[in-house]
Amino acid sequence: MDDQPLGEWADRRDQRRPVRGERRHVPLGGQPGQGAHLGPDAPRGVQEWDGHEWVLIGIAENLTTAAQETAEHAAPRTQRLPLP
């Protein structure tokens, strides 16, 4: 097992964490971990990170609408994550 400084581990962990106000969409009524591409016409829950947990803030009609609602919040996260 590789030992690493705690500070490096904490920095990597913080890069993966959502930031307050970040949004995501999830299929409603599906299995946990179910691919978002399945049932593109099914409604989606729009969730926002409140700093502690994901909170449902609305329902989108379908995958396209949900993606539009969450797209502006996805950009800051992709900028924080380094590419391999």
Side-chain angles (χ1 to χ4, degrees):
M1 187 166 140
D2 293 334
D3 288 335
Q4 61 179 316
L6 184 58
E8 288 178 18
W9 172 83
D11 290 342
R12 280 200 332 277
R13 182 200 60 191
D14 291 342
Q15 287 177 342
R16 291 190 301 262
R17 278 190 176 170
V19 294
R20 185 178 297 273
E22 184 174 332
R23 292 182 181 175
R24 71 178 184 182
H25 58 86
V26 293
L28 294 177
Q31 298 291 331
Q34 180 181 15
H37 65 286
L38 299 175
D41 294 328
R44 301 286 198 266
V46 177
Q47 297 177 328
E48 187 172 83
W49 183 253
D50 71 356
H52 178 66
E53 64 184 348
W54 289 103
V55 178
L56 183 67
I57 61 167
I59 306 291
E61 295 177 13
N62 54 36
L63 177 58
T64 303
T65 306
Q68 290 171 351
E69 289 293 319
T70 58
E72 66 187 50
H73 298 277
R77 184 177 177 92
T78 58
Q79 291 170 358
R80 289 191 333 233
L81 295 175
L83 294 175

